[in-house]
Amino acid sequence: AQKVTQAQTEISVVEKEDVTLDCVYETRDTTYYLFWYKQPPSGELVFLIRRNSFDEQNEISGRYSWNFQKSTSSFNFTITASQVVDSAVYFCALSGPPSGTYKYIFGTGTRLKVLA
Amino acid sequence: NAGVTQTPKFRILKIGQSMTLQCTQDMNHNYMYWYRQDPGMGLKLIYYSVGAGITDKGEVPNGYNVSRSTTEDFPLRLELAAPSQTSVYFCASSFTGGTEAFFGQGTRLTVV
């Protein structure tokens, strides 16, 4: 069965601190996709990144970086020099082909509070 | 450029009533999904569809029904509403199961 675990329910940091959001996933599939989404206080869901199971390269986009490690089934998200505007709930998601169709499931989210 | 459109945005239902949440997308996406988000919680998959005429259960399908007669539309039916169905409902679509999902603005449903 597929599962996504975000053990950190809520994190508070002071502006300009670095913060890492953890994501651990479970799947028996060899082909799968991992995602991160952001939900700001306004409530919409914003796509941040997608990674397939065959691409373990880390990625950096501005202050955001992602570390994908198949050996530990983890896909962690780091925000460098956090800003108040980063305050949001962040979701990790997994999509894989159980029986050939893709279920797109989410973790429970991590609420990040960045204090000025 | 509408993307994913959900209606209504807000609704209050009485226990035992039924309603349909509408969702339509104009991106010609094959995959569509319905999620519920309870206060302070994550997104739970209710139902999903991989194309017109094909639907399947997600993690929490009980109390809901769906249909997918066209590529664009994926309505969610609530039969005999219960207080436990009070939630924010999100519809989403993606081109394939492995691509970015686009979400609607959500429907806030309260069952009293």
Side-chain angles (χ1 to χ4, degrees):
Chain A
Q2 294 174 285
K3 187 177 180 182
V4 176
T5 300
Q6 295 180 257
Q8 303 153 309
T9 306
E10 186 169 310
I11 300 174
S12 292
V13 299
V14 177
E15 208 171 16
K16 298 184 184 175
E17 283 186 359
D18 299 347
V19 58
T20 295
L21 309 182
D22 297 333
C23 173
V24 174
Y25 63 92
E26 294 176 31
T27 180
R28 291 182 222 165
D29 303 310
T30 54
T31 301
Y32 53 90
Y33 298 85
L34 295 162
F35 307 82
W36 276 94
Y37 289 83
K38 175 182 179 179
Q39 187 176 41
S42 51
E44 75 272 23
L45 284 139
V46 179
F47 166 79
L48 296 176
I49 192 171
R50 162 187 179 265
R51 177 65 80 231
N52 74 55
S53 54
F54 299 107
D55 181 3
E56 285 193 74
Q57 280 191 346
N58 292 331
E59 180 153 339
I60 298 174
S61 176
R63 296 185 296 107
Y64 294 172
S65 63
W66 292 269
N67 181 273
F68 175 30
Q69 291 196 330
K70 285 177 77 170
S71 60
T72 56
S73 297
S74 65
F75 186 43
N76 297 336
F77 173 28
T78 297
I79 302 174
T80 302
S82 59
Q83 300 176 1
V84 172
V85 294
D86 295 327
S87 297
V89 180
Y90 291 87
F91 292 100
C92 181
L94 166 68
S95 179
S99 305
T101 59
Y102 283 73
K103 274 188 181 181
Y104 211 118
I105 63 169
F106 285 74
T108 50
T110 297
R111 182 178 300 276
L112 175 65
K113 293 184 178 179
V114 182
L115 309 171
Chain B
N1 194 12
V4 179
T5 303
Q6 290 181 239
T7 57
K9 287 187 170 51
F10 302 93
R11 183 73 186 266
I12 297 175
L13 274 184
K14 293 185 178 177
I15 294 171
Q17 287 185 322
S18 301
M19 76 164 294
T20 299
L21 280 65
Q22 302 291 346
C23 176
T24 188
Q25 53 94 5
D26 62 359
M27 298 171 282
N28 202 32
H29 283 170
N30 296 311
Y31 283 67
M32 295 189 74
Y33 315 85
W34 275 106
Y35 295 91
R36 59 177 286 172
Q37 184 177 27
D38 298 332
M41 302 294 285
L43 295 156
K44 290 290 189 183
L45 181 63
I46 304 171
Y47 271 95
Y48 66 109
S49 168
V50 302
I54 306 169
T55 62
D56 205 351
K57 295 177 181 178
E59 301 168 282
V60 288
N62 291 344
Y64 307 94
N65 278 300
V66 294
S67 59
R68 184 104 179 264
S69 56
T70 67
T71 299
E72 295 77 21
D73 300 305
F74 190 41
L76 177 72
R77 178 84 177 158
L78 278 73
E79 305 282 1
L80 298 175
S84 60
Q85 294 178 305
T86 293
S87 191
V88 178
Y89 291 83
F90 286 97
C91 178
S93 72
S94 62
F95 185 61
T96 73
T99 55
E100 171 191 355
F102 292 80
F103 284 80
Q105 293 298 304
T107 296
R108 186 174 295 276
L109 174 68
T110 303
V111 181
V112 296

